[in-house]
């Protein structure tokens, strides 16, 4: 075990926080005064905030757990003297090398999804999703895209597409177009 402690300036023997690596579990803990764990990097390289557990629906590279609106909250803030705001980018390529320019997408490829889960007493089930998909053949400076909105009906655990905005701007609800 490797341990790094931060001492307060007023008392060289009093620990203000620390970082510990646990070889037996292959993870690293970041603690505050008193040993309270605040952050962990697990053996899979996931960053865990407020938790040391991951479930099948919480297996992303960043996991945040909290018991109220302040601790179960992720904030992206921007401070700039202009009209621009913060951004969240979901990026997709077929190239498996990070930063590579090639990797042209194909019709139907998923650019990204936002998933909404809730506990149904059996575990976490997906209740709704918003997805962006390629909607045609992409080319140079040409990325036709559609958005789909899916929800789960009462008595089911399977999402159903409810609304689509295609690459032509047509809004489809159910089986027909409602606006262009």
């Amino acid at each position: 075990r490797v341990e790094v402690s931060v001492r307060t300036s007023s008392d060289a023997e009093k620990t203000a926080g620390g970082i510990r690596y646990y070889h037996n579990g292959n993870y690293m803990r970041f603690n505050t005064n008193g040993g309270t764990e605040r952050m962990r990097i697990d053996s899979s390289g996931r960053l865990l905030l407020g938790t040391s557990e991951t479930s099948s629906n919480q297996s992303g590279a960043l996991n945040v757990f909290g018991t109220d609106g302040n601790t179960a909250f992720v904030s992206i803030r921007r401070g700039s003297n202009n009209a621009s705001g913060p951004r969240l980018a979901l990026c997709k390529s077929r190239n498996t090398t990070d930063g590579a320019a090639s990797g042209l997408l194909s019709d139907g490829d998923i650019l990204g999804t936002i998933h909404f889960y809730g506990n149904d007493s059996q575990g976490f089930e997906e209740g709704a999703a918003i997805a962006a998909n390629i909607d045609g053949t992409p080319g140079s400076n040409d990325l036709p895209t559609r958005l789909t909105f899916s929800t789960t009906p009462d008595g089911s655990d399977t999402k159903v597409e409810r609304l689509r905005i295609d690459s032509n701007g047509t809004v489809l609800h159910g089986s027909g177009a409602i606006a262009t």
Side-chain angles (χ1 to χ4, degrees):
R1 176 172 93 175
V2 176
E3 182 174 341
V4 176
S5 295
V6 178
R7 306 279 182 192
T8 64
S9 60
S10 61
D11 185 353
E13 297 302 314
K14 187 174 180 183
T15 302
I19 302 168
R20 291 185 178 173
Y21 172 72
Y22 294 85
H23 182 69
N24 61 342
N26 193 25
Y27 66 92
M28 187 177 296
R29 283 179 51 165
F30 297 78
N31 301 329
T32 58
N33 189 19
T36 303
E37 181 175 340
R38 296 296 182 192
M39 184 172 67
R40 176 182 291 216
I41 300 174
D42 73 6
S43 61
S44 297
R46 292 181 291 238
L47 177 61
L48 311 175
L49 301 172
T51 183
S52 61
E53 302 293 325
T54 56
S55 71
S56 60
N57 293 332
Q58 299 170 328
S59 60
L62 172 65
N63 291 278
V64 177
F65 176 79
T67 56
D68 60 31
N70 293 320
T71 57
F73 179 77
V74 176
S75 176
I76 302 173
R77 301 184 314 163
R78 178 175 176 164
S80 59
N81 190 13
N82 58 33
S84 297
R87 296 173 28 167
L88 174 64
L90 305 176
C91 304
K92 165 69 176 159
S93 172
R94 285 184 168 246
N95 193 317
T96 59
T97 302
D98 190 21
S102 63
L104 181 64
L105 300 177
S106 298
D107 186 25
D109 280 3
I110 300 168
L111 292 176
T113 56
I114 301 171
H115 300 269
F116 303 89
Y117 291 89
N119 193 321
D120 69 351
S121 79
Q122 300 295 312
F124 283 95
E125 292 286 338
E126 187 174 12
I130 302 170
N133 297 70
I134 299 299
D135 194 26
T137 304
S140 181
N141 295 318
D142 178 24
L143 196 66
T145 307
R146 71 176 173 268
L147 284 175
T148 58
F149 298 80
S150 301
T151 62
T152 302
D154 191 19
S156 176
D157 65 355
T158 305
K159 292 186 323 290
V160 176
E161 182 180 321
R162 304 298 187 168
L163 182 74
R164 177 183 292 206
I165 304 170
D166 70 15
S167 60
N168 294 319
T170 303
V171 178
L172 301 145
H173 178 268
S175 59
I178 58 174
T180 302

